[in-house]
Amino acid sequence: MSDRRIYVVLLGVPGAGKGTQAKLLEQSTGLPQISTGDIFRYNLKNQTELGKLAKSYMDRGDLVPDEVTIRMVQDRLQQPDCVRGAIMDGFPRNLVQATAFDTMTAPYGGVRVAPLIQVEDDETIRRITGRRSCRTCGAVYHVIYNPPKVEGICDVDGGELYQRDDDKEDTVRNRLFVYYKQTAPLIGYYYAKGLLREVDGAMSIEAVQQALLAIVVG
Ligand code: ADP
Ligand code: AMP
Ligand code: ZN
């Protein structure tokens, strides 16, 4: 195939470390991170029509409707920075999205690999409840595991760190429920295609990154 691209689908429960790892992979591979959650939060902050539509779903921890999400990803993949492929973070999130993604990427060789970052539930909860995100650039920290140099301030751009509304306990519970019901079937989906690679997500951020790099470029 002449125009083969590298599409990496990061899988894992909310809080597993997909966003953290996607940003590092972006730096080391030059492939852009596409985080549907970040795109929705950007639209929410800027009060766009898309943001208004997504808000009620995100507040509950439910998935935004497929039609809207798939169209948004299709548009994003057409941006010039995606000509070599992309690191998908938080998409696809159910089987409808996964088959739509296969169709979109088929002309470029389809999904290259689907690493699954595996973390126990207890650790996931600790990671989500301690997560702090930058209001301006979306960088992700953890109050204990990955603190910023100055408390409450982003190392990258000095932005204010905040706790996402959907990182509070009630919503987290529903997000985990939605994950097991709708997203976990993707593990079997990519396994059957020979694309699944399991990574121990309990390791340090650096060790997980090394394991992922070996999978993506190795
Ligand atoms: P996801 O994108 O899968 O929801 P994040 O990348 O936002 O997960 O990570 C969730 C939280 O866990 C963040 O606070 C992040 O700093 C922290 N974290 C990520 N990877 C690790 C790791 N390997 N060890 C400890 N904490 C981690
Ligand atoms: P995340 O940042 O990946 O934790 O996503 C935050 C929220 O954005 C989710 O709880 C959903 O409401 C919404 N969202 C993100 N990605 C998707 C997706 N692929 N499909 C539907 N909703 C999504
Ligand atoms: Zn920042």
Side-chain angles (χ1 to χ4, degrees):
M1 188 155 316
S2 57
D3 192 11
R4 187 155 176 118
R5 300 183 181 181
I6 302 174
Y7 292 108
V8 177
V9 172
L10 288 183
L11 296 173
V13 74
K18 300 180 297 298
T20 301
Q21 296 299 334
K23 285 190 172 64
L24 294 170
L25 281 177
E26 179 176 76
Q27 286 167 21
S28 47
T29 65
L31 297 169
Q33 169 197 22
I34 299 186
S35 160
T36 41
D38 281 355
I39 303 175
F40 284 132
R41 279 185 288 280
Y42 176 85
N43 279 277
L44 213 65
K45 191 173 81 179
N46 292 291
Q47 299 186 357
T48 67
E49 286 306 310
L50 177 62
K52 285 178 202 158
L53 186 151
K55 186 178 183 336
S56 59
Y57 299 96
M58 294 176 78
D59 284 348
R60 289 194 302 271
D62 287 338
L63 296 186
V64 178
D66 289 335
E67 196 192 287
V68 175
T69 308
I70 291 166
R71 194 166 349 107
M72 182 176 91
V73 170
Q74 253 160 352
D75 288 348
R76 180 67 188 87
L77 286 177
Q78 269 149 38
Q79 301 297 309
D81 61 328
C82 296
V83 288
R84 289 181 47 236
I87 311 284
M88 305 305 296
D89 163 15
F91 182 95
R93 225 163 166 119
N94 61 26
L95 289 169
V96 172
Q97 294 181 10
T99 48
F101 192 58
D102 281 348
T103 307
M104 291 180 222
T105 58
Y108 311 107
V111 172
R112 171 73 62 97
V113 71
L116 168 65
I117 305 177
Q118 285 184 303
V119 174
E120 301 285 333
D121 280 355
D122 288 358
E123 175 66 6
T124 291
I125 304 275
R126 281 193 290 275
R127 287 188 186 181
I128 296 185
T129 48
R131 170 160 56 193
R132 297 293 181 272
S133 311
C134 175
R135 265 195 208 287
T136 43
C137 77
V140 175
Y141 300 86
H142 189 282
V143 289
I144 295 162
Y145 302 143
N146 184 26
K149 293 197 179 80
V150 180
E151 193 186 324
I153 308 281
C154 177
D155 294 349
V156 181
D157 64 353
E160 181 202 359
L161 302 186
Y162 77 109
Q163 181 175 36
R164 283 167 44 177
D165 275 345
D166 64 349
D167 278 352
K168 293 173 185 160
E169 201 178 325
D170 274 3
T171 319
V172 168
R173 219 173 291 126
N174 189 45
R175 285 165 63 206
L176 292 178
F177 176 74
V178 168
Y179 171 82
Y180 284 111
K181 204 167 167 194
Q182 302 200 48
T183 311
L186 297 188
I187 297 170
Y189 181 82
Y190 288 111
Y191 177 81
K193 289 173 176 285
L195 299 174
L196 192 76
R197 302 286 182 278
E198 292 175 51
V199 174
D200 178 7
M203 303 186 293
S204 69
I205 291 175
E206 295 73 24
V208 175
Q209 178 64 195
Q210 287 311 312
L212 283 173
L213 261 179
I215 288 169
V216 171
V217 297

mmCIF file of all heavy atoms in Angstrom, residues 12-42:
data_model
loop_
_atom_site.group_PDB
_atom_site.id
_atom_site.type_symbol
_atom_site.label_atom_id
_atom_site.label_comp_id
_atom_site.label_asym_id
_atom_site.label_seq_id
_atom_site.Cartn_x
_atom_site.Cartn_y
_atom_site.Cartn_z
ATOM 1 N N GLY A 12 -7.889 0.956 27.441
ATOM 2 C CA GLY A 12 -7.686 0.883 28.896
ATOM 3 C C GLY A 12 -8.809 1.621 29.583
ATOM 4 O O GLY A 12 -9.409 2.554 29.022
ATOM 5 N N VAL A 13 -9.072 1.207 30.810
ATOM 6 C CA VAL A 13 -10.135 1.777 31.625
ATOM 7 C C VAL A 13 -9.850 3.278 31.844
ATOM 8 O O VAL A 13 -8.685 3.697 31.733
ATOM 9 C CB VAL A 13 -10.136 0.944 32.948
ATOM 10 C CG1 VAL A 13 -8.975 1.287 33.826
ATOM 11 C CG2 VAL A 13 -11.439 0.977 33.661
ATOM 12 N N PRO A 14 -10.870 4.103 32.122
ATOM 13 C CA PRO A 14 -10.576 5.504 32.457
ATOM 14 C C PRO A 14 -9.576 5.530 33.612
ATOM 15 O O PRO A 14 -9.723 4.781 34.578
ATOM 16 C CB PRO A 14 -11.945 6.053 32.906
ATOM 17 C CG PRO A 14 -12.953 5.202 32.220
ATOM 18 C CD PRO A 14 -12.331 3.828 32.126
ATOM 19 N N GLY A 15 -8.561 6.363 33.482
ATOM 20 C CA GLY A 15 -7.545 6.455 34.533
ATOM 21 C C GLY A 15 -6.363 5.515 34.345
ATOM 22 O O GLY A 15 -5.411 5.544 35.126
ATOM 23 N N ALA A 16 -6.393 4.699 33.310
ATOM 24 C CA ALA A 16 -5.291 3.743 33.102
ATOM 25 C C ALA A 16 -3.986 4.440 32.729
ATOM 26 O O ALA A 16 -2.901 3.901 32.950
ATOM 27 C CB ALA A 16 -5.663 2.740 32.013
ATOM 28 N N GLY A 17 -4.105 5.621 32.141
ATOM 29 C CA GLY A 17 -2.902 6.359 31.734
ATOM 30 C C GLY A 17 -2.823 6.595 30.229
ATOM 31 O O GLY A 17 -1.751 6.930 29.718
ATOM 32 N N LYS A 18 -3.944 6.470 29.529
ATOM 33 C CA LYS A 18 -3.929 6.633 28.067
ATOM 34 C C LYS A 18 -3.474 8.033 27.648
ATOM 35 O O LYS A 18 -2.622 8.182 26.772
ATOM 36 C CB LYS A 18 -5.327 6.358 27.478
ATOM 37 C CG LYS A 18 -5.852 4.963 27.738
ATOM 38 C CD LYS A 18 -7.222 4.753 27.135
ATOM 39 C CE LYS A 18 -8.299 5.645 27.697
ATOM 40 N NZ LYS A 18 -8.557 5.450 29.154
ATOM 41 N N GLY A 19 -4.049 9.052 28.271
ATOM 42 C CA GLY A 19 -3.716 10.428 27.893
ATOM 43 C C GLY A 19 -2.248 10.741 28.183
ATOM 44 O O GLY A 19 -1.545 11.318 27.348
ATOM 45 N N THR A 20 -1.803 10.339 29.359
ATOM 46 C CA THR A 20 -0.401 10.556 29.759
ATOM 47 C C THR A 20 0.523 9.913 28.729
ATOM 48 O O THR A 20 1.486 10.528 28.258
ATOM 49 C CB THR A 20 -0.164 9.903 31.146
ATOM 50 O OG1 THR A 20 -1.067 10.497 32.082
ATOM 51 C CG2 THR A 20 1.261 10.071 31.603
ATOM 52 N N GLN A 21 0.239 8.684 28.384
ATOM 53 C CA GLN A 21 1.101 7.946 27.453
ATOM 54 C C GLN A 21 0.967 8.465 26.031
ATOM 55 O O GLN A 21 1.958 8.513 25.291
ATOM 56 C CB GLN A 21 0.766 6.447 27.516
ATOM 57 C CG GLN A 21 1.053 5.816 28.871
ATOM 58 C CD GLN A 21 2.525 5.891 29.261
ATOM 59 O OE1 GLN A 21 3.410 5.965 28.415
ATOM 60 N NE2 GLN A 21 2.794 5.865 30.557
ATOM 61 N N ALA A 22 -0.237 8.861 25.636
ATOM 62 C CA ALA A 22 -0.436 9.368 24.268
ATOM 63 C C ALA A 22 0.384 10.635 24.045
ATOM 64 O O ALA A 22 0.992 10.824 22.988
ATOM 65 C CB ALA A 22 -1.922 9.645 24.019
ATOM 66 N N LYS A 23 0.431 11.499 25.069
ATOM 67 C CA LYS A 23 1.203 12.743 24.932
ATOM 68 C C LYS A 23 2.697 12.432 24.786
ATOM 69 O O LYS A 23 3.395 13.062 23.995
ATOM 70 C CB LYS A 23 0.965 13.654 26.131
ATOM 71 C CG LYS A 23 -0.402 14.316 26.080
ATOM 72 C CD LYS A 23 -0.550 15.402 27.134
ATOM 73 C CE LYS A 23 -1.844 16.184 26.948
ATOM 74 N NZ LYS A 23 -3.052 15.365 27.140
ATOM 75 N N LEU A 24 3.184 11.454 25.551
ATOM 76 C CA LEU A 24 4.604 11.073 25.447
ATOM 77 C C LEU A 24 4.888 10.424 24.095
ATOM 78 O O LEU A 24 5.923 10.681 23.470
ATOM 79 C CB LEU A 24 4.984 10.125 26.596
ATOM 80 C CG LEU A 24 4.943 10.757 28.001
ATOM 81 C CD1 LEU A 24 5.084 9.701 29.076
ATOM 82 C CD2 LEU A 24 6.042 11.814 28.142
ATOM 83 N N LEU A 25 3.963 9.593 23.631
ATOM 84 C CA LEU A 25 4.157 8.963 22.315
ATOM 85 C C LEU A 25 4.142 10.007 21.204
ATOM 86 O O LEU A 25 4.872 9.892 20.216
ATOM 87 C CB LEU A 25 3.034 7.949 22.036
ATOM 88 C CG LEU A 25 3.148 6.571 22.698
ATOM 89 C CD1 LEU A 25 1.911 5.738 22.370
ATOM 90 C CD2 LEU A 25 4.405 5.828 22.237
ATOM 91 N N GLU A 26 3.317 11.027 21.387
ATOM 92 C CA GLU A 26 3.282 12.116 20.404
ATOM 93 C C GLU A 26 4.663 12.759 20.300
ATOM 94 O O GLU A 26 5.177 13.000 19.210
ATOM 95 C CB GLU A 26 2.230 13.146 20.822
ATOM 96 C CG GLU A 26 2.120 14.329 19.892
ATOM 97 C CD GLU A 26 1.002 15.277 20.308
ATOM 98 O OE1 GLU A 26 1.203 16.026 21.281
ATOM 99 O OE2 GLU A 26 -0.058 15.262 19.671
ATOM 100 N N GLN A 27 5.276 12.999 21.471
ATOM 101 C CA GLN A 27 6.617 13.622 21.466
ATOM 102 C C GLN A 27 7.650 12.716 20.810
ATOM 103 O O GLN A 27 8.504 13.175 20.067
ATOM 104 C CB GLN A 27 7.067 13.910 22.900
ATOM 105 C CG GLN A 27 6.355 15.090 23.527
ATOM 106 C CD GLN A 27 6.575 15.150 25.046
ATOM 107 O OE1 GLN A 27 7.531 14.578 25.573
ATOM 108 N NE2 GLN A 27 5.684 15.830 25.741
ATOM 109 N N SER A 28 7.568 11.408 21.075
ATOM 110 C CA SER A 28 8.645 10.547 20.576
ATOM 111 C C SER A 28 8.410 10.051 19.155
ATOM 112 O O SER A 28 9.368 9.729 18.469
ATOM 113 C CB SER A 28 8.895 9.381 21.532
ATOM 114 O OG SER A 28 7.688 8.787 21.891
ATOM 115 N N THR A 29 7.161 9.990 18.696
ATOM 116 C CA THR A 29 6.917 9.470 17.341
ATOM 117 C C THR A 29 6.537 10.575 16.349
ATOM 118 O O THR A 29 6.592 10.357 15.139
ATOM 119 C CB THR A 29 5.758 8.445 17.323
ATOM 120 O OG1 THR A 29 4.552 9.122 17.682
ATOM 121 C CG2 THR A 29 6.003 7.298 18.282
ATOM 122 N N GLY A 30 6.101 11.717 16.865
ATOM 123 C CA GLY A 30 5.627 12.773 15.971
ATOM 124 C C GLY A 30 4.202 12.551 15.484
ATOM 125 O O GLY A 30 3.646 13.390 14.767
ATOM 126 N N LEU A 31 3.590 11.437 15.878
ATOM 127 C CA LEU A 31 2.189 11.208 15.504
ATOM 128 C C LEU A 31 1.304 11.978 16.487
ATOM 129 O O LEU A 31 1.531 11.927 17.691
ATOM 130 C CB LEU A 31 1.840 9.715 15.587
ATOM 131 C CG LEU A 31 2.599 8.796 14.638
ATOM 132 C CD1 LEU A 31 2.364 7.329 15.019
ATOM 133 C CD2 LEU A 31 2.160 9.031 13.200
ATOM 134 N N PRO A 32 0.283 12.693 16.004
ATOM 135 C CA PRO A 32 -0.529 13.490 16.928
ATOM 136 C C PRO A 32 -1.416 12.628 17.815
ATOM 137 O O PRO A 32 -1.928 11.595 17.389
ATOM 138 C CB PRO A 32 -1.385 14.345 15.992
ATOM 139 C CG PRO A 32 -1.477 13.561 14.733
ATOM 140 C CD PRO A 32 -0.168 12.819 14.613
ATOM 141 N N GLN A 33 -1.603 13.084 19.053
ATOM 142 C CA GLN A 33 -2.581 12.460 19.960
ATOM 143 C C GLN A 33 -3.963 12.981 19.564
ATOM 144 O O GLN A 33 -4.156 14.190 19.441
ATOM 145 C CB GLN A 33 -2.299 12.904 21.396
ATOM 146 C CG GLN A 33 -3.402 12.532 22.383
ATOM 147 C CD GLN A 33 -3.324 13.320 23.705
ATOM 148 O OE1 GLN A 33 -2.722 14.391 23.747
ATOM 149 N NE2 GLN A 33 -3.919 12.786 24.733
ATOM 150 N N ILE A 34 -4.895 12.078 19.352
ATOM 151 C CA ILE A 34 -6.280 12.521 19.165
ATOM 152 C C ILE A 34 -7.078 12.020 20.351
ATOM 153 O O ILE A 34 -7.359 10.829 20.475
ATOM 154 C CB ILE A 34 -6.870 12.009 17.840
ATOM 155 C CG1 ILE A 34 -6.039 12.566 16.681
ATOM 156 C CG2 ILE A 34 -8.337 12.419 17.718
ATOM 157 C CD1 ILE A 34 -6.587 12.259 15.318
ATOM 158 N N SER A 35 -7.392 12.954 21.268
ATOM 159 C CA SER A 35 -8.182 12.615 22.446
ATOM 160 C C SER A 35 -9.578 13.188 22.252
ATOM 161 O O SER A 35 -9.754 14.415 22.250
ATOM 162 C CB SER A 35 -7.542 13.217 23.691
ATOM 163 O OG SER A 35 -8.501 13.303 24.727
ATOM 164 N N THR A 36 -10.563 12.299 22.071
ATOM 165 C CA THR A 36 -11.934 12.798 21.878
ATOM 166 C C THR A 36 -12.406 13.515 23.145
ATOM 167 O O THR A 36 -13.108 14.522 23.057
ATOM 168 C CB THR A 36 -12.880 11.648 21.497
ATOM 169 O OG1 THR A 36 -12.563 10.488 22.278
ATOM 170 C CG2 THR A 36 -12.750 11.304 20.032
ATOM 171 N N GLY A 37 -11.973 13.034 24.323
ATOM 172 C CA GLY A 37 -12.348 13.713 25.572
ATOM 173 C C GLY A 37 -11.821 15.149 25.583
ATOM 174 O O GLY A 37 -12.538 16.083 25.942
ATOM 175 N N ASP A 38 -10.558 15.329 25.170
ATOM 176 C CA ASP A 38 -9.980 16.689 25.127
ATOM 177 C C ASP A 38 -10.739 17.570 24.129
ATOM 178 O O ASP A 38 -10.972 18.746 24.394
ATOM 179 C CB ASP A 38 -8.498 16.640 24.700
ATOM 180 C CG ASP A 38 -7.573 16.229 25.846
ATOM 181 O OD1 ASP A 38 -8.057 16.080 26.984
ATOM 182 O OD2 ASP A 38 -6.369 16.042 25.586
ATOM 183 N N ILE A 39 -11.112 17.002 22.987
ATOM 184 C CA ILE A 39 -11.829 17.816 21.990
ATOM 185 C C ILE A 39 -13.193 18.234 22.549
ATOM 186 O O ILE A 39 -13.605 19.387 22.423
ATOM 187 C CB ILE A 39 -11.987 17.063 20.645
ATOM 188 C CG1 ILE A 39 -10.617 16.641 20.096
ATOM 189 C CG2 ILE A 39 -12.717 17.946 19.623
ATOM 190 C CD1 ILE A 39 -10.687 15.785 18.822
ATOM 191 N N PHE A 40 -13.869 17.291 23.202
ATOM 192 C CA PHE A 40 -15.163 17.655 23.816
ATOM 193 C C PHE A 40 -14.978 18.725 24.888
ATOM 194 O O PHE A 40 -15.748 19.685 24.957
ATOM 195 C CB PHE A 40 -15.846 16.425 24.419
ATOM 196 C CG PHE A 40 -16.476 15.511 23.395
ATOM 197 C CD1 PHE A 40 -16.262 14.136 23.438
ATOM 198 C CD2 PHE A 40 -17.302 16.019 22.401
ATOM 199 C CE1 PHE A 40 -16.838 13.285 22.505
ATOM 200 C CE2 PHE A 40 -17.889 15.176 21.453
ATOM 201 C CZ PHE A 40 -17.660 13.804 21.504
ATOM 202 N N ARG A 41 -13.932 18.578 25.738
ATOM 203 C CA ARG A 41 -13.724 19.569 26.805
ATOM 204 C C ARG A 41 -13.382 20.947 26.231
ATOM 205 O O ARG A 41 -13.834 21.970 26.749
ATOM 206 C CB ARG A 41 -12.616 19.105 27.773
ATOM 207 C CG ARG A 41 -13.119 18.104 28.812
ATOM 208 C CD ARG A 41 -12.048 17.738 29.824
ATOM 209 N NE ARG A 41 -11.032 16.893 29.258
ATOM 210 C CZ ARG A 41 -11.148 15.574 29.070
ATOM 211 N NH1 ARG A 41 -12.239 14.955 29.442
ATOM 212 N NH2 ARG A 41 -10.185 14.874 28.530
ATOM 213 N N TYR A 42 -12.640 20.971 25.137
ATOM 214 C CA TYR A 42 -12.318 22.239 24.474
ATOM 215 C C TYR A 42 -13.613 22.918 23.986
ATOM 216 O O TYR A 42 -13.819 24.122 24.149
ATOM 217 C CB TYR A 42 -11.364 21.961 23.300
ATOM 218 C CG TYR A 42 -11.038 23.169 22.476
ATOM 219 C CD1 TYR A 42 -10.003 24.024 22.854
ATOM 220 C CD2 TYR A 42 -11.771 23.475 21.330
ATOM 221 C CE1 TYR A 42 -9.710 25.144 22.105
ATOM 222 C CE2 TYR A 42 -11.489 24.597 20.584
ATOM 223 C CZ TYR A 42 -10.458 25.434 20.971
ATOM 224 O OH TYR A 42 -10.176 26.553 20.233
#
